[in-house]
Amino acid sequence: MDLELTNKTALVTGSTGGIGFAIASLFAQERAAVVVNGRSQKRVDEAIERIRGEQKDAQVMGVAADLGARKGVDLLISSVPQVDILVNNLGVFEPKPFTEIPDEDWLRFFEVNVLSGVRLSRFYLPGMLKRNWGRIVFISSESALNIPVEMIHYGVTKTAQIALARGLAEMTVGTSVTVNSVLAGPTRSEGVEGFLQEIAKAQGSDTATLEKEFFLSVRPSSLLKRFAAPKEVAPMVVYVCSPLASATNGAALRVEGGVIRSIV
């Protein structure tokens, strides 16, 4: 299927690894012009080379900027003043008991997970509306609906993303601009893989055993019963950014392995 994304400019935040990289790579395969973002120039350069290795004629550039801070957003938008597609993928997570989460952690999570998308959308959305075409997607999580007791602050920021996406969608009435959120489930990103390896080492176990235990005790409602691969999440995101998805707006789309037990 041709997703009609040739030469559309797609910015994917936090795209040097994991779900973000998988999305950026798939955009390149669909012949979009891709902007990769990460905090370090080394990681950005490595991601660009990986994409070019997979797609020799890929249109890809990168901007190293920490979008968890206002100055990082300013750096990015000065380098990339216009995009057709904005995927707010950047996010952090950290399991921590609620009573041990200080104000500083709450503020950091909101700066990275929520305000980065607020700031970028505030800048790029007006141009999309003026040109009467654009796509904004927030990469949320099933944790937005099933707030995880082991990291409540993370879940709250993911809920905020869904609310933000829906509110922005209300601004697009009668236009060819859409704003949606995608709820990813437990995904074997680089961060999750590293976290599993640390726990496995500390417990004298292995990641396969930990994965099985996780879906037995922490996410027992999962129908998938395993971590999804980033490349299993990316197609939903890239599709909803396509002109073919023009009737999907203000939606929270689920790619979470059936963790959420509801029919809507």
PDB file of all heavy atoms in Angstrom, residues 61-97:
ATOM      1  N   MET A  61      17.735  13.663   8.012  1.00  0.00           N
ATOM      2  CA  MET A  61      18.647  14.578   8.688  1.00  0.00           C
ATOM      3  C   MET A  61      18.414  14.431  10.182  1.00  0.00           C
ATOM      4  O   MET A  61      17.479  13.727  10.606  1.00  0.00           O
ATOM      5  CB  MET A  61      18.413  16.026   8.261  1.00  0.00           C
ATOM      6  CG  MET A  61      17.039  16.579   8.635  1.00  0.00           C
ATOM      7  SD  MET A  61      16.865  18.366   8.445  1.00  0.00           S
ATOM      8  CE  MET A  61      17.859  18.948   9.832  1.00  0.00           C
ATOM      9  N   GLY A  62      19.258  15.064  10.985  1.00  0.00           N
ATOM     10  CA  GLY A  62      19.088  14.936  12.425  1.00  0.00           C
ATOM     11  C   GLY A  62      19.406  16.212  13.161  1.00  0.00           C
ATOM     12  O   GLY A  62      20.195  17.045  12.684  1.00  0.00           O
ATOM     13  N   VAL A  63      18.779  16.373  14.326  1.00  0.00           N
ATOM     14  CA  VAL A  63      19.054  17.505  15.204  1.00  0.00           C
ATOM     15  C   VAL A  63      19.243  16.973  16.615  1.00  0.00           C
ATOM     16  O   VAL A  63      18.338  16.342  17.172  1.00  0.00           O
ATOM     17  CB  VAL A  63      17.911  18.534  15.190  1.00  0.00           C
ATOM     18  CG1 VAL A  63      18.228  19.680  16.154  1.00  0.00           C
ATOM     19  CG2 VAL A  63      17.668  19.066  13.789  1.00  0.00           C
ATOM     20  N   ALA A  64      20.419  17.223  17.166  1.00  0.00           N
ATOM     21  CA  ALA A  64      20.684  16.832  18.550  1.00  0.00           C
ATOM     22  C   ALA A  64      20.197  17.950  19.467  1.00  0.00           C
ATOM     23  O   ALA A  64      20.695  19.077  19.398  1.00  0.00           O
ATOM     24  CB  ALA A  64      22.176  16.582  18.759  1.00  0.00           C
ATOM     25  N   ALA A  65      19.196  17.642  20.280  1.00  0.00           N
ATOM     26  CA  ALA A  65      18.635  18.645  21.184  1.00  0.00           C
ATOM     27  C   ALA A  65      17.877  17.948  22.301  1.00  0.00           C
ATOM     28  O   ALA A  65      17.147  16.991  22.049  1.00  0.00           O
ATOM     29  CB  ALA A  65      17.691  19.587  20.427  1.00  0.00           C
ATOM     30  N   ASP A  66      18.052  18.428  23.523  1.00  0.00           N
ATOM     31  CA  ASP A  66      17.333  17.899  24.675  1.00  0.00           C
ATOM     32  C   ASP A  66      15.990  18.615  24.761  1.00  0.00           C
ATOM     33  O   ASP A  66      15.897  19.755  25.212  1.00  0.00           O
ATOM     34  CB  ASP A  66      18.144  18.135  25.950  1.00  0.00           C
ATOM     35  CG  ASP A  66      17.443  17.604  27.194  1.00  0.00           C
ATOM     36  OD1 ASP A  66      16.327  17.048  27.071  1.00  0.00           O
ATOM     37  OD2 ASP A  66      18.006  17.751  28.301  1.00  0.00           O
ATOM     38  N   LEU A  67      14.934  17.941  24.318  1.00  0.00           N
ATOM     39  CA  LEU A  67      13.621  18.567  24.254  1.00  0.00           C
ATOM     40  C   LEU A  67      12.909  18.610  25.598  1.00  0.00           C
ATOM     41  O   LEU A  67      11.791  19.119  25.694  1.00  0.00           O
ATOM     42  CB  LEU A  67      12.750  17.839  23.225  1.00  0.00           C
ATOM     43  CG  LEU A  67      13.350  17.756  21.814  1.00  0.00           C
ATOM     44  CD1 LEU A  67      12.378  17.075  20.865  1.00  0.00           C
ATOM     45  CD2 LEU A  67      13.743  19.129  21.292  1.00  0.00           C
ATOM     46  N   GLY A  68      13.567  18.092  26.630  1.00  0.00           N
ATOM     47  CA  GLY A  68      13.029  18.202  27.975  1.00  0.00           C
ATOM     48  C   GLY A  68      13.280  19.566  28.579  1.00  0.00           C
ATOM     49  O   GLY A  68      12.919  19.826  29.732  1.00  0.00           O
ATOM     50  N   ALA A  69      13.876  20.463  27.788  1.00  0.00           N
ATOM     51  CA  ALA A  69      14.151  21.830  28.230  1.00  0.00           C
ATOM     52  C   ALA A  69      13.748  22.797  27.124  1.00  0.00           C
ATOM     53  O   ALA A  69      13.866  22.486  25.939  1.00  0.00           O
ATOM     54  CB  ALA A  69      15.628  22.007  28.563  1.00  0.00           C
ATOM     55  N   ARG A  70      13.285  23.961  27.480  1.00  0.00           N
ATOM     56  CA  ARG A  70      12.821  24.949  26.512  1.00  0.00           C
ATOM     57  C   ARG A  70      13.912  25.282  25.490  1.00  0.00           C
ATOM     58  O   ARG A  70      13.631  25.414  24.294  1.00  0.00           O
ATOM     59  CB  ARG A  70      12.398  26.210  27.253  1.00  0.00           C
ATOM     60  CG  ARG A  70      11.989  27.361  26.353  1.00  0.00           C
ATOM     61  CD  ARG A  70      10.629  27.158  25.753  1.00  0.00           C
ATOM     62  NE  ARG A  70      10.607  27.531  24.350  1.00  0.00           N
ATOM     63  CZ  ARG A  70       9.500  27.826  23.686  1.00  0.00           C
ATOM     64  NH1 ARG A  70       8.335  27.775  24.293  1.00  0.00           N
ATOM     65  NH2 ARG A  70       9.540  28.140  22.411  1.00  0.00           N
ATOM     66  N   LYS A  71      15.154  25.413  25.950  1.00  0.00           N
ATOM     67  CA  LYS A  71      16.223  25.796  25.017  1.00  0.00           C
ATOM     68  C   LYS A  71      16.461  24.717  23.977  1.00  0.00           C
ATOM     69  O   LYS A  71      16.853  25.021  22.833  1.00  0.00           O
ATOM     70  CB  LYS A  71      17.510  26.109  25.788  1.00  0.00           C
ATOM     71  CG  LYS A  71      18.112  24.947  26.557  1.00  0.00           C
ATOM     72  CD  LYS A  71      19.378  25.374  27.279  1.00  0.00           C
ATOM     73  CE  LYS A  71      20.006  24.200  28.040  1.00  0.00           C
ATOM     74  NZ  LYS A  71      21.253  24.624  28.756  1.00  0.00           N
ATOM     75  N   GLY A  72      16.231  23.459  24.332  1.00  0.00           N
ATOM     76  CA  GLY A  72      16.375  22.382  23.363  1.00  0.00           C
ATOM     77  C   GLY A  72      15.307  22.459  22.289  1.00  0.00           C
ATOM     78  O   GLY A  72      15.580  22.226  21.107  1.00  0.00           O
ATOM     79  N   VAL A  73      14.083  22.780  22.692  1.00  0.00           N
ATOM     80  CA  VAL A  73      12.991  22.952  21.728  1.00  0.00           C
ATOM     81  C   VAL A  73      13.303  24.117  20.806  1.00  0.00           C
ATOM     82  O   VAL A  73      13.122  24.042  19.589  1.00  0.00           O
ATOM     83  CB  VAL A  73      11.654  23.164  22.448  1.00  0.00           C
ATOM     84  CG1 VAL A  73      10.554  23.517  21.450  1.00  0.00           C
ATOM     85  CG2 VAL A  73      11.273  21.923  23.243  1.00  0.00           C
ATOM     86  N   ASP A  74      13.802  25.213  21.365  1.00  0.00           N
ATOM     87  CA  ASP A  74      14.151  26.384  20.552  1.00  0.00           C
ATOM     88  C   ASP A  74      15.218  26.033  19.522  1.00  0.00           C
ATOM     89  O   ASP A  74      15.155  26.485  18.374  1.00  0.00           O
ATOM     90  CB  ASP A  74      14.640  27.525  21.447  1.00  0.00           C
ATOM     91  CG  ASP A  74      13.531  28.143  22.289  1.00  0.00           C
ATOM     92  OD1 ASP A  74      12.348  27.952  21.936  1.00  0.00           O
ATOM     93  OD2 ASP A  74      13.848  28.808  23.295  1.00  0.00           O
ATOM     94  N   LEU A  75      16.195  25.230  19.930  1.00  0.00           N
ATOM     95  CA  LEU A  75      17.245  24.807  19.010  1.00  0.00           C
ATOM     96  C   LEU A  75      16.667  23.987  17.866  1.00  0.00           C
ATOM     97  O   LEU A  75      17.011  24.189  16.696  1.00  0.00           O
ATOM     98  CB  LEU A  75      18.293  23.990  19.760  1.00  0.00           C
ATOM     99  CG  LEU A  75      19.388  23.328  18.906  1.00  0.00           C
ATOM    100  CD1 LEU A  75      20.197  24.386  18.164  1.00  0.00           C
ATOM    101  CD2 LEU A  75      20.298  22.460  19.782  1.00  0.00           C
ATOM    102  N   LEU A  76      15.763  23.076  18.191  1.00  0.00           N
ATOM    103  CA  LEU A  76      15.178  22.216  17.174  1.00  0.00           C
ATOM    104  C   LEU A  76      14.345  23.014  16.175  1.00  0.00           C
ATOM    105  O   LEU A  76      14.499  22.860  14.955  1.00  0.00           O
ATOM    106  CB  LEU A  76      14.315  21.132  17.823  1.00  0.00           C
ATOM    107  CG  LEU A  76      13.533  20.221  16.874  1.00  0.00           C
ATOM    108  CD1 LEU A  76      14.469  19.491  15.924  1.00  0.00           C
ATOM    109  CD2 LEU A  76      12.684  19.226  17.658  1.00  0.00           C
ATOM    110  N   ILE A  77      13.463  23.869  16.671  1.00  0.00           N
ATOM    111  CA  ILE A  77      12.574  24.584  15.754  1.00  0.00           C
ATOM    112  C   ILE A  77      13.324  25.625  14.925  1.00  0.00           C
ATOM    113  O   ILE A  77      12.887  25.970  13.818  1.00  0.00           O
ATOM    114  CB  ILE A  77      11.377  25.225  16.492  1.00  0.00           C
ATOM    115  CG1 ILE A  77      11.826  26.248  17.520  1.00  0.00           C
ATOM    116  CG2 ILE A  77      10.533  24.144  17.143  1.00  0.00           C
ATOM    117  CD1 ILE A  77      10.678  26.900  18.288  1.00  0.00           C
ATOM    118  N   SER A  78      14.454  26.095  15.424  1.00  0.00           N
ATOM    119  CA  SER A  78      15.256  27.013  14.606  1.00  0.00           C
ATOM    120  C   SER A  78      15.940  26.261  13.475  1.00  0.00           C
ATOM    121  O   SER A  78      16.171  26.822  12.394  1.00  0.00           O
ATOM    122  CB  SER A  78      16.299  27.735  15.469  1.00  0.00           C
ATOM    123  OG  SER A  78      17.267  26.822  15.962  1.00  0.00           O
ATOM    124  N   SER A  79      16.232  24.982  13.695  1.00  0.00           N
ATOM    125  CA  SER A  79      16.865  24.154  12.668  1.00  0.00           C
ATOM    126  C   SER A  79      15.839  23.590  11.694  1.00  0.00           C
ATOM    127  O   SER A  79      16.145  23.359  10.520  1.00  0.00           O
ATOM    128  CB  SER A  79      17.633  22.995  13.324  1.00  0.00           C
ATOM    129  OG  SER A  79      18.615  23.461  14.206  1.00  0.00           O
ATOM    130  N   VAL A  80      14.616  23.342  12.205  1.00  0.00           N
ATOM    131  CA  VAL A  80      13.552  22.753  11.381  1.00  0.00           C
ATOM    132  C   VAL A  80      12.297  23.623  11.549  1.00  0.00           C
ATOM    133  O   VAL A  80      11.432  23.334  12.376  1.00  0.00           O
ATOM    134  CB  VAL A  80      13.264  21.293  11.805  1.00  0.00           C
ATOM    135  CG1 VAL A  80      12.270  20.646  10.848  1.00  0.00           C
ATOM    136  CG2 VAL A  80      14.546  20.480  11.886  1.00  0.00           C
ATOM    137  N   PRO A  81      12.172  24.699  10.786  1.00  0.00           N
ATOM    138  CA  PRO A  81      11.077  25.651  10.992  1.00  0.00           C
ATOM    139  C   PRO A  81       9.720  25.193  10.492  1.00  0.00           C
ATOM    140  O   PRO A  81       8.708  25.806  10.840  1.00  0.00           O
ATOM    141  CB  PRO A  81      11.548  26.889  10.223  1.00  0.00           C
ATOM    142  CG  PRO A  81      12.474  26.356   9.171  1.00  0.00           C
ATOM    143  CD  PRO A  81      13.166  25.188   9.801  1.00  0.00           C
ATOM    144  N   GLN A  82       9.670  24.126   9.692  1.00  0.00           N
ATOM    145  CA  GLN A  82       8.386  23.673   9.174  1.00  0.00           C
ATOM    146  C   GLN A  82       8.389  22.160   9.008  1.00  0.00           C
ATOM    147  O   GLN A  82       9.358  21.583   8.522  1.00  0.00           O
ATOM    148  CB  GLN A  82       8.107  24.328   7.815  1.00  0.00           C
ATOM    149  CG  GLN A  82       6.812  23.907   7.162  1.00  0.00           C
ATOM    150  CD  GLN A  82       6.548  24.635   5.859  1.00  0.00           C
ATOM    151  OE1 GLN A  82       6.614  25.864   5.798  1.00  0.00           O
ATOM    152  NE2 GLN A  82       6.260  23.885   4.798  1.00  0.00           N
ATOM    153  N   VAL A  83       7.307  21.514   9.438  1.00  0.00           N
ATOM    154  CA  VAL A  83       7.128  20.074   9.215  1.00  0.00           C
ATOM    155  C   VAL A  83       5.692  19.806   8.799  1.00  0.00           C
ATOM    156  O   VAL A  83       4.793  20.586   9.094  1.00  0.00           O
ATOM    157  CB  VAL A  83       7.475  19.230  10.472  1.00  0.00           C
ATOM    158  CG1 VAL A  83       8.924  19.425  10.888  1.00  0.00           C
ATOM    159  CG2 VAL A  83       6.527  19.530  11.620  1.00  0.00           C
ATOM    160  N   ASP A  84       5.501  18.700   8.104  1.00  0.00           N
ATOM    161  CA  ASP A  84       4.153  18.253   7.762  1.00  0.00           C
ATOM    162  C   ASP A  84       3.608  17.309   8.830  1.00  0.00           C
ATOM    163  O   ASP A  84       2.397  17.238   9.045  1.00  0.00           O
ATOM    164  CB  ASP A  84       4.165  17.514   6.425  1.00  0.00           C
ATOM    165  CG  ASP A  84       4.680  18.376   5.292  1.00  0.00           C
ATOM    166  OD1 ASP A  84       4.051  19.419   5.023  1.00  0.00           O
ATOM    167  OD2 ASP A  84       5.710  18.025   4.682  1.00  0.00           O
ATOM    168  N   ILE A  85       4.543  16.590   9.484  1.00  0.00           N
ATOM    169  CA  ILE A  85       4.165  15.561  10.454  1.00  0.00           C
ATOM    170  C   ILE A  85       5.024  15.721  11.701  1.00  0.00           C
ATOM    171  O   ILE A  85       6.254  15.823  11.612  1.00  0.00           O
ATOM    172  CB  ILE A  85       4.376  14.153   9.866  1.00  0.00           C
ATOM    173  CG1 ILE A  85       3.477  13.945   8.643  1.00  0.00           C
ATOM    174  CG2 ILE A  85       4.142  13.079  10.918  1.00  0.00           C
ATOM    175  CD1 ILE A  85       3.868  12.746   7.792  1.00  0.00           C
ATOM    176  N   LEU A  86       4.387  15.734  12.849  1.00  0.00           N
ATOM    177  CA  LEU A  86       5.095  15.786  14.129  1.00  0.00           C
ATOM    178  C   LEU A  86       4.686  14.584  14.955  1.00  0.00           C
ATOM    179  O   LEU A  86       3.502  14.427  15.280  1.00  0.00           O
ATOM    180  CB  LEU A  86       4.739  17.077  14.878  1.00  0.00           C
ATOM    181  CG  LEU A  86       5.171  17.159  16.351  1.00  0.00           C
ATOM    182  CD1 LEU A  86       6.691  17.102  16.482  1.00  0.00           C
ATOM    183  CD2 LEU A  86       4.611  18.428  17.009  1.00  0.00           C
ATOM    184  N   VAL A  87       5.651  13.752  15.292  1.00  0.00           N
ATOM    185  CA  VAL A  87       5.393  12.612  16.166  1.00  0.00           C
ATOM    186  C   VAL A  87       6.086  12.879  17.500  1.00  0.00           C
ATOM    187  O   VAL A  87       7.322  12.857  17.591  1.00  0.00           O
ATOM    188  CB  VAL A  87       5.897  11.287  15.558  1.00  0.00           C
ATOM    189  CG1 VAL A  87       5.624  10.137  16.521  1.00  0.00           C
ATOM    190  CG2 VAL A  87       5.222  11.031  14.215  1.00  0.00           C
ATOM    191  N   ASN A  88       5.286  13.154  18.518  1.00  0.00           N
ATOM    192  CA  ASN A  88       5.815  13.416  19.860  1.00  0.00           C
ATOM    193  C   ASN A  88       6.036  12.084  20.566  1.00  0.00           C
ATOM    194  O   ASN A  88       5.177  11.600  21.314  1.00  0.00           O
ATOM    195  CB  ASN A  88       4.834  14.300  20.635  1.00  0.00           C
ATOM    196  CG  ASN A  88       4.761  15.702  20.085  1.00  0.00           C
ATOM    197  OD1 ASN A  88       5.760  16.399  19.995  1.00  0.00           O
ATOM    198  ND2 ASN A  88       3.567  16.133  19.706  1.00  0.00           N
ATOM    199  N   ASN A  89       7.197  11.514  20.319  1.00  0.00           N
ATOM    200  CA  ASN A  89       7.530  10.198  20.868  1.00  0.00           C
ATOM    201  C   ASN A  89       8.368  10.278  22.137  1.00  0.00           C
ATOM    202  O   ASN A  89       8.363   9.348  22.934  1.00  0.00           O
ATOM    203  CB  ASN A  89       8.285   9.390  19.808  1.00  0.00           C
ATOM    204  CG  ASN A  89       8.890   8.124  20.376  1.00  0.00           C
ATOM    205  OD1 ASN A  89       8.197   7.148  20.647  1.00  0.00           O
ATOM    206  ND2 ASN A  89      10.203   8.140  20.593  1.00  0.00           N
ATOM    207  N   LEU A  90       9.089  11.364  22.319  1.00  0.00           N
ATOM    208  CA  LEU A  90      10.010  11.474  23.451  1.00  0.00           C
ATOM    209  C   LEU A  90       9.320  11.167  24.772  1.00  0.00           C
ATOM    210  O   LEU A  90       8.216  11.662  25.036  1.00  0.00           O
ATOM    211  CB  LEU A  90      10.588  12.892  23.501  1.00  0.00           C
ATOM    212  CG  LEU A  90      11.557  13.175  24.651  1.00  0.00           C
ATOM    213  CD1 LEU A  90      12.827  12.341  24.526  1.00  0.00           C
ATOM    214  CD2 LEU A  90      11.891  14.661  24.693  1.00  0.00           C
ATOM    215  N   GLY A  91       9.965  10.362  25.596  1.00  0.00           N
ATOM    216  CA  GLY A  91       9.397  10.049  26.901  1.00  0.00           C
ATOM    217  C   GLY A  91      10.395   9.367  27.813  1.00  0.00           C
ATOM    218  O   GLY A  91      11.352   8.746  27.341  1.00  0.00           O
ATOM    219  N   VAL A  92      10.182   9.518  29.094  1.00  0.00           N
ATOM    220  CA  VAL A  92      11.006   8.838  30.090  1.00  0.00           C
ATOM    221  C   VAL A  92      10.097   8.058  31.024  1.00  0.00           C
ATOM    222  O   VAL A  92       8.923   8.384  31.196  1.00  0.00           O
ATOM    223  CB  VAL A  92      11.869   9.831  30.907  1.00  0.00           C
ATOM    224  CG1 VAL A  92      12.925  10.486  30.038  1.00  0.00           C
ATOM    225  CG2 VAL A  92      10.999  10.894  31.580  1.00  0.00           C
ATOM    226  N   PHE A  93      10.643   7.001  31.625  1.00  0.00           N
ATOM    227  CA  PHE A  93       9.904   6.238  32.623  1.00  0.00           C
ATOM    228  C   PHE A  93      10.884   5.769  33.685  1.00  0.00           C
ATOM    229  O   PHE A  93      12.090   5.649  33.439  1.00  0.00           O
ATOM    230  CB  PHE A  93       9.191   5.037  31.979  1.00  0.00           C
ATOM    231  CG  PHE A  93      10.116   3.911  31.585  1.00  0.00           C
ATOM    232  CD1 PHE A  93      10.326   2.836  32.425  1.00  0.00           C
ATOM    233  CD2 PHE A  93      10.781   3.935  30.364  1.00  0.00           C
ATOM    234  CE1 PHE A  93      11.181   1.802  32.076  1.00  0.00           C
ATOM    235  CE2 PHE A  93      11.642   2.908  29.998  1.00  0.00           C
ATOM    236  CZ  PHE A  93      11.832   1.838  30.858  1.00  0.00           C
ATOM    237  N   GLU A  94      10.363   5.504  34.860  1.00  0.00           N
ATOM    238  CA  GLU A  94      11.204   5.013  35.960  1.00  0.00           C
ATOM    239  C   GLU A  94      10.322   4.455  37.060  1.00  0.00           C
ATOM    240  O   GLU A  94       9.566   5.209  37.686  1.00  0.00           O
ATOM    241  CB  GLU A  94      12.069   6.142  36.527  1.00  0.00           C
ATOM    242  CG  GLU A  94      12.970   5.688  37.673  1.00  0.00           C
ATOM    243  CD  GLU A  94      13.704   6.835  38.327  1.00  0.00           C
ATOM    244  OE1 GLU A  94      13.196   7.990  38.279  1.00  0.00           O
ATOM    245  OE2 GLU A  94      14.788   6.592  38.878  1.00  0.00           O
ATOM    246  N   PRO A  95      10.357   3.164  37.297  1.00  0.00           N
ATOM    247  CA  PRO A  95       9.584   2.606  38.410  1.00  0.00           C
ATOM    248  C   PRO A  95      10.070   3.186  39.741  1.00  0.00           C
ATOM    249  O   PRO A  95      11.278   3.226  40.009  1.00  0.00           O
ATOM    250  CB  PRO A  95       9.895   1.101  38.317  1.00  0.00           C
ATOM    251  CG  PRO A  95      10.303   0.882  36.898  1.00  0.00           C
ATOM    252  CD  PRO A  95      11.058   2.126  36.521  1.00  0.00           C
ATOM    253  N   LYS A  96       9.132   3.660  40.538  1.00  0.00           N
ATOM    254  CA  LYS A  96       9.478   4.223  41.842  1.00  0.00           C
ATOM    255  C   LYS A  96       8.216   4.291  42.695  1.00  0.00           C
ATOM    256  O   LYS A  96       7.161   4.713  42.208  1.00  0.00           O
ATOM    257  CB  LYS A  96      10.090   5.615  41.684  1.00  0.00           C
ATOM    258  CG  LYS A  96      10.573   6.238  42.995  1.00  0.00           C
ATOM    259  CD  LYS A  96      11.247   7.586  42.754  1.00  0.00           C
ATOM    260  CE  LYS A  96      12.610   7.431  42.114  1.00  0.00           C
ATOM    261  NZ  LYS A  96      13.343   8.735  42.082  1.00  0.00           N
ATOM    262  N   PRO A  97       8.300   3.883  43.962  1.00  0.00           N
ATOM    263  CA  PRO A  97       7.127   3.975  44.836  1.00  0.00           C
ATOM    264  C   PRO A  97       6.629   5.412  44.939  1.00  0.00           C
ATOM    265  O   PRO A  97       7.428   6.350  45.021  1.00  0.00           O
ATOM    266  CB  PRO A  97       7.660   3.478  46.190  1.00  0.00           C
ATOM    267  CG  PRO A  97       8.824   2.616  45.841  1.00  0.00           C
ATOM    268  CD  PRO A  97       9.450   3.267  44.642  1.00  0.00           C
TER     269      PRO A  97
END
